[in-house]
Amino acid sequence: MSLDSTSSTSADDSPDPASPESVESQLGSVALSEPVAELASAANQVARNGVGFATASEGGDDDEEDADMGGEEGPVGRAEEEVWADYGGVGGLAAAEEVGEGLGGGGVVWGRTNSELEVDEPASPSSSGYAGERGSSGASSGELEIGEVVEDEIQEPRSDGVDGVLDSQASWVPGKRHVDEDDASVSWRKRKKHFFILSHSGKPIYSRYGDEHKLAGFSATLQAIISFVENGGDRVKFVRAGKHQVVFLVKGPIYLVCISCTEEPYDSLRGQLELMYGQMILILTKSVNRCFEKNPKFDMTPLLGGTDVVFSALIHSFSCNPATFLHAYTCLPLALATRQAAVAILQDVADSGVLFAILMCKHKVVSLVGAQKASLHPDDMLLLANFVMSSESFRTSESFSPICLPRYNPMAFLYAYVHYFDVDTYLMLLTTSSDAFYHLKDCRMRIEMVLLKSNVLSEIQRSLLDGGMHVEDLPVDPLPRSSSLPSHLSQPKPPTDSPERFRETCDWIAGPAGLWHFIYRSVFLDQYVSSEFPAPISSPRQQKRLYRAYQKLYASMHEKGIGPHKTQFRRDENYVLLCWVTQDFELYAAFDPLADKALAIKTCNRVCQWVKDVENEIFLLGASPFSW
Amino acid sequence: MARPGNKIIQAKLVLLGDMGTGKTSLVLRFVKGQFFENQEPTIGAAFFTQILSLQEATVKFDIWDTAGQERYHSLAPMYYRGAAAAVVVFDIASKDTFIRAKKWVEELQRQGNSNLVMALVANKSDLEPSREVDTEEGEEFAQENGMFYIETSAKTAENINDLFYEIAQRLAKACPSKPSTMNLNNEVQHRRKLFCCFG
Ligand SMILES: Nc1nc2c(ncn2[C@@H]2O[C@H](COP(=O)(O)OP(=O)(O)OP(=O)(O)O)[C@@H](O)[C@H]2O)c(=O)[nH]1
Ligand SMILES: [Mg+2]
């Protein structure tokens, strides 16, 4: 199958128009009757500082977002304003008017403040909070939701001079920020993207910014909206107000809310809330619901003590890890023989009663084996890897911990033996048996011996330095089978002193036909491969913008009612984006904004061919538990 | 290291106590000689090993450093089951952690293992100015429960070795003395048998 310009079913150079109908139908179905007073008072509470958020401060552009997610700013208050105004418009004018007054002081330009707030280095006063408290004496306060700087590469201080070459993980410090904020803080209201988890009784469980306990009032407000609509037999899914979206997800007694002005599609934000919920289940299992049956006012925050880092790392990954919207995982590129050696030894231990054996390098899979019939969902893998990577504890020593895989069985704990072979590479052995530790430890020692003997661990390190597919290596002559494996993947590179990624930004040019980047997702394998970033998108901020663009494409391609084949071509001031979806694969490609359309399409065909040519090295084939 | 003709004791040791009391810090100080001001909370439980040689025996510790976070409380039996020694830790600068420590001791008592060597550890002794739990109070509670009491600081290393040394001694005493013919290298096949005296 090949892609050409004539077969495009929708060739559209302009961004797709927003679809306000759905918003209206949402709001239209809300029958407001008596709780208007309640809403009005809630709205007053929102407005009580009289701070105006009328200006979107055009930090609304992704460019204004700090590379560090912690620095996202935005006039969230504005969303609330318009939410209430909209409700008022349907049910009662009084509410709308009161809101209008309360927020009347708008017109403030936040531009400068924004850029100051976006500086989010560990040392900044606004990021102190938990980090300090865990220190010495403060530990007794029970405030264990900390975000200390971890020991390894993450500790590197941010340096804007090189932010283009640092892996996003490297420049980003996990942990809760701005705990000193609450909903009365100007800075808090200006954050571009908030995440909240609360209980059905309105008790705060988690907030991305600010101290949950100080946000009790705000949580109650959110709860009021949700239960109000739920009581009417309807479910709030989202409210859209100008640039802002408020997305709700109700999971039994647990409510999740995202307030965002990042212009991400509803489906994407909802998917992110689903992952947040999944992360919570991974830590606690769904049996936490029982606590609410016994006591509706149950306070869940102590149960999540110390997990802020996990959630903030997940939220961070929403903008730097395409797995969060592709629902697929990615592999570390390795020579076939190397991967087979790793698969073989994991298969060996899986046969001895291990449910899943997973060898990973950062967020990439080296190899993965499941016991018979057991299948692991890519989202579970994402959440598990996020949990392990964001919790420093796992790096201290081998450990054995209860974890739950929400897609596998949300009700029960599995037990995870976790061991780091080096700073990047870790092994996870999952079992249903709580006394399997010594067996798993033995398995690990066997695995380690084999990995060392067959040089797998050093190959992993080398692959990490070399990176994956580089667009400039795209074979020029698409006569693949004879000239196959043209990329560096098959040619050992001489070792370099400095990491590869530093070199890249210096002398990289984009690939042929202005190709900057691509993601190829194999539908059958549940895996994707993403090319390395070239110079035009070298900074985390640019990468985030590109991922958001892909995410939007993904959402539009997966709307209901699309056929098996579909293409999309978009051009804006940042890129040309091309998307091609078939039953077998999905290709997302970004080109120079001036790229020629016909050439771009031709290039996409070549990318697909290239991926097929090297699939043995970039994908985990065969032994995947997904295909059973 | 093992002395020839010395008996070898393989002992499972579990650390329990409220979050942030310094369990991980105690272990890291003992096992690796390290201390971190910003030690991260433990997830589930971390496993360490360390060997202590006494005059009369060589003790091989399998150390389970459990997480103090509330969500892991109900899973604690999985880690303390079969333990030969339990170290219950509190922070001298926090009354709450002492109350929590008492609960752990009660829970351990309910297991009815009379051979269990128990230590009550008052950690962070370097924080004397903000002390909330008096030495007498700790000592008294320890005595009532047949534990030994020790004040430590993972930060300054004060009494850390003494703590583990004392435990090792008590284990050695409890373990019938026979000359060992067992080699340390055979540990793998005996790993599952905890607190057994080879010989
Ligand atoms: N001043 C002082 N601080 C200590 C001492 N021991 C530990 N800390 C600090 O107390 C905090 C918590 O220590 P941890 O060792 O993580 O405590 P923990 O009991 O393992 O905590 P959990 O794993 O959450 O149960 C860290 O910031 C340590 O640096 C000590 O003896 N003196
Ligand atoms: Mg600990």
Side-chain angles (χ1 to χ4, degrees):
Chain A
M1 178 182 315
S2 87
L3 175 65
D4 63 69
S5 38
T6 50
S7 75
S8 305
T9 54
S10 79
D12 183 2
D13 279 15
S14 63
D16 67 343
S19 50
E21 320 87 64
S22 53
V23 181
E24 266 153 38
S25 66
Q26 279 300 322
L27 289 174
S29 64
V30 176
L32 280 178
S33 47
E34 94 239 357
V36 166
E38 192 190 331
L39 288 178
S41 73
N44 269 337
Q45 191 221 327
V46 166
R48 75 185 159 210
N49 318 359
V51 185
F53 292 102
T55 33
S57 78
E58 299 328 311
D61 187 288
D62 274 10
D63 264 336
E64 290 290 323
E65 289 190 51
D66 197 289
D68 181 322
M69 286 293 280
E72 281 192 333
E73 314 295 343
V76 163
R78 189 181 174 211
E80 291 147 11
E81 171 196 0
E82 300 192 21
V83 169
W84 294 114
D86 282 348
Y87 272 95
V90 179
L93 269 172
E97 275 164 18
E98 283 196 47
V99 171
E101 257 170 58
L103 293 170
V108 186
V109 178
W110 296 108
R112 251 197 73 201
T113 332
N114 263 355
S115 54
E116 280 164 19
L117 280 163
E118 280 168 7
V119 176
D120 198 12
E121 291 174 38
S124 85
S126 60
S127 69
S128 57
Y130 292 105
E133 293 200 304
R134 191 83 195 295
S136 42
S137 56
S140 57
S141 69
E143 298 271 27
L144 284 161
E145 301 83 351
I146 34 98
E148 289 106 325
V149 175
V150 292
E151 284 164 67
D152 53 42
E153 83 284 357
I154 297 172
Q155 196 166 25
E156 284 173 28
R158 285 248 321 275
S159 157
D160 286 335
V162 293
D163 69 346
V165 293
L166 287 175
D167 178 34
S168 52
Q169 280 282 6
S171 58
W172 177 81
V173 180
K176 175 92 146 199
R177 319 304 167 74
H178 315 292
V179 279
D180 45 340
E181 293 179 359
D182 60 30
D183 54 326
S185 325
V186 173
S187 54
W188 187 87
R189 290 165 159 239
K190 285 168 47 206
R191 307 252 166 238
K192 268 181 129 182
K193 197 170 175 186
H194 281 268
F195 283 95
F196 303 99
I197 308 178
L198 53 135
S199 75
H200 62 163
S201 71
K203 276 222 166 28
I205 295 171
Y206 171 82
S207 168
R208 180 183 188 189
Y209 299 114
D211 179 344
E212 292 83 12
H213 298 286
K214 289 193 218 149
L215 293 169
F218 185 77
S219 259
T221 308
L222 291 173
Q223 187 270 341
I225 303 175
I226 298 168
S227 63
F228 170 68
V229 181
E230 281 215 307
N231 290 343
D234 206 339
R235 288 224 154 165
V236 209
K237 277 158 97 189
F238 72 101
V239 178
R240 197 178 177 105
K243 288 192 101 171
H244 296 85
Q245 263 192 102
V246 187
V247 178
F248 300 92
L249 180 65
V250 174
K251 292 283 187 183
I254 291 160
Y255 297 167
L256 299 99
V257 183
C258 174
I259 301 177
S260 140
C261 63
T262 54
E263 293 181 356
E264 290 165 89
Y266 164 77
D267 284 337
S268 308
L269 295 175
R270 191 191 160 88
Q272 292 168 13
L273 289 179
E274 290 276 2
L275 286 172
M276 294 283 286
Y277 181 68
Q279 191 73 76
M280 209 189 79
I281 297 305
L282 184 135
I283 296 166
L284 295 175
T285 78
K286 222 171 157 178
S287 56
V288 72
N289 287 0
R290 276 189 230 130
C291 301
F292 290 101
E293 283 161 23
K294 283 189 211 133
N295 172 16
K297 292 226 148 71
F298 179 69
D299 179 8
M300 227 179 95
T301 43
L303 286 187
L304 288 174
T307 59
D308 270 320
V309 278
V310 178
F311 288 101
S312 68
L314 180 66
I315 293 170
H316 177 65
S317 73
F318 293 155
S319 60
C320 65
N321 184 354
T324 57
F325 62 89
L326 291 173
H327 306 291
Y329 68 101
T330 194
C331 287
L332 186 78
L334 282 176
L336 182 60
T338 308
R339 189 170 337 264
Q340 277 171 342
V343 169
I345 180 64
L346 291 194
Q347 185 67 59
D348 219 39
V349 305
D351 293 341
S352 77
V354 175
L355 188 61
F356 295 112
I358 312 162
L359 180 62
M360 296 192 69
C361 178
K362 295 188 171 173
H363 66 280
K364 297 186 175 182
V365 172
V366 173
S367 87
L368 156 69
V369 170
Q372 264 196 342
K373 299 245 167 67
S375 79
L376 185 56
H377 192 282
D379 284 354
D380 279 352
M381 260 174 60
L382 171 86
L383 296 171
L384 182 60
N386 181 64
F387 182 68
V388 170
M389 279 193 292
S390 60
S391 310
E392 186 59 20
S393 167
F394 291 112
R395 296 169 185 268
T396 310
S397 172
E398 61 193 326
S399 61
F400 192 56
S401 311
I403 57 103
C404 166
L405 296 179
R407 299 279 194 150
Y408 181 74
N409 180 357
M411 294 311 294
F413 273 127
L414 296 173
Y415 301 90
Y417 172 90
V418 180
H419 178 84
Y420 270 85
F421 290 122
D422 57 48
V423 285
D424 305 309
T425 314
Y426 54 102
L427 175 73
M428 300 183 284
L429 302 174
L430 307 189
T431 168
T432 51
S433 151
S434 66
D435 52 17
F437 173 78
Y438 289 100
H439 172 59
L440 299 183
K441 186 177 162 70
D442 287 343
C443 289
R444 185 267 297 172
M445 291 193 288
R446 265 168 57 210
I447 293 169
E448 189 164 13
M449 245 161 53
V450 171
L451 294 182
L452 285 172
K453 237 198 320 219
S454 41
N455 288 326
V456 176
L457 292 177
S458 50
E459 285 298 310
I460 288 172
Q461 280 306 313
R462 208 180 61 153
S463 170
L464 204 58
L465 291 180
D466 287 352
M469 303 175 87
H470 300 267
V471 285
E472 91 276 20
D473 291 338
L474 179 67
V476 181
D477 175 31
L479 279 179
R481 266 151 212 108
S482 51
S483 67
S484 69
L485 307 190
S487 82
H488 69 286
L489 280 178
S490 49
Q491 299 157 10
K493 281 195 173 175
T496 45
D497 292 355
S498 59
E500 198 82 355
R501 51 190 183 184
F502 282 90
R503 181 190 63 89
E504 285 162 13
T505 42
C506 307
D507 53 29
W508 256 41
I509 41 133
L515 175 66
W516 280 354
H517 187 263
F518 67 86
I519 294 180
Y520 177 103
R521 174 178 185 256
S522 161
V523 174
F524 174 69
L525 294 172
D526 270 330
Q527 295 173 45
Y528 73 91
V529 61
S530 172
S531 68
E532 300 292 313
F533 287 106
I537 27 179
S538 56
S539 77
R541 182 182 301 173
Q542 289 164 321
Q543 293 166 12
K544 175 171 168 177
R545 186 168 60 192
L546 179 60
Y547 280 144
R548 290 255 167 98
Y550 282 152
Q551 178 184 297
K552 208 165 165 177
L553 267 182
Y554 180 92
S556 73
M557 295 301 266
H558 288 82
E559 273 164 13
K560 280 175 225 109
I562 61 153
H565 308 294
K566 200 175 169 181
T567 61
Q568 231 184 97
F569 183 89
R570 297 185 184 204
R571 190 193 298 274
D572 64 22
E573 70 276 18
N574 299 315
Y575 345 79
V576 160
L577 289 176
L578 218 153
C579 176
W580 180 19
V581 172
T582 76
Q583 274 168 331
D584 301 325
F585 67 84
E586 300 178 1
L587 180 71
Y588 303 86
F591 292 82
D592 184 296
L594 301 174
D596 175 74
K597 184 171 169 182
L599 252 168
I601 288 168
K602 219 182 252 167
T603 306
C604 282
N605 279 315
R606 277 162 52 195
V607 168
C608 289
Q609 188 57 54
W610 187 28
V611 167
K612 289 209 178 76
D613 291 342
V614 295
E615 67 178 359
N616 276 330
E617 297 170 359
I618 55 176
F619 292 134
L620 180 60
L621 301 171
S624 163
F626 298 92
S627 51
W628 292 345
Chain B
M1 279 284 100
R3 295 153 214 251
N6 208 345
K7 72 178 167 182
I8 296 164
I9 300 171
Q10 176 101 26
K12 173 171 170 178
L13 181 151
V14 64
L15 286 106
L16 299 165
D18 208 348
M19 55 195 183
T21 52
K23 298 178 293 299
T24 304
S25 302
L26 287 174
V27 177
L28 282 180
R29 178 58 88 184
F30 173 55
V31 174
K32 299 184 182 170
Q34 297 171 332
F35 175 78
F36 302 102
E37 283 291 346
N38 44 13
Q39 185 62 50
E40 295 267 344
T42 304
I43 310 286
F47 181 81
F48 299 83
T49 57
Q50 178 66 303
I51 298 170
L52 253 189
S53 287
L54 309 175
Q55 201 62 48
E56 59 274 35
T58 297
V59 180
K60 296 191 75 233
F61 283 114
D62 273 6
I63 302 172
W64 281 102
D65 167 29
T66 66
Q69 293 288 349
E70 189 181 320
R71 64 179 169 279
Y72 296 113
H73 287 181
S74 57
L75 295 154
M78 161 181 155
Y79 301 110
Y80 64 63
R81 199 182 301 130
V87 174
V88 178
V89 185
F90 69 93
D91 173 353
I92 64 153
S94 158
K95 188 91 191 169
D96 287 350
T97 65
F98 182 57
I99 295 168
R100 183 69 227 166
K102 288 178 168 177
K103 294 217 174 94
W104 278 121
V105 173
E106 283 160 23
E107 179 169 342
L108 288 171
Q109 300 288 19
R110 277 199 300 274
Q111 306 307 309
N113 174 4
S114 52
N115 292 327
L116 185 65
V117 172
M118 287 201 285
L120 182 62
V121 172
N123 189 37
K124 307 199 187 179
S125 58
D126 56 294
L127 299 179
E128 191 58 47
S130 33
R131 182 190 277 276
E132 286 184 10
V133 184
D134 293 335
T135 305
E136 299 74 49
E137 205 180 342
E139 268 175 345
E140 192 186 310
F141 179 78
Q143 207 162 27
E144 284 165 14
N145 288 277
M147 317 168 77
F148 76 91
Y149 176 84
I150 190 166
E151 303 206 335
T152 62
S153 167
K155 187 172 179 167
T156 66
E158 187 197 351
N159 275 346
I160 301 294
N161 285 338
D162 306 60
L163 162 66
F164 290 95
Y165 185 81
E166 178 65 30
I167 292 171
Q169 293 240 301
R170 289 178 182 228
L171 290 172
K173 227 176 278 164
C175 199
S177 183
K178 272 186 233 156
S180 168
T181 49
M182 218 58 184
N183 191 307
L184 256 182
N185 297 336
N186 282 340
E187 57 171 302
V188 175
Q189 68 208 76
H190 292 281
R191 185 166 289 135
R192 277 148 186 274
K193 282 196 233 146
L194 296 160
F195 192 38
C196 45
C197 305
F198 303 149

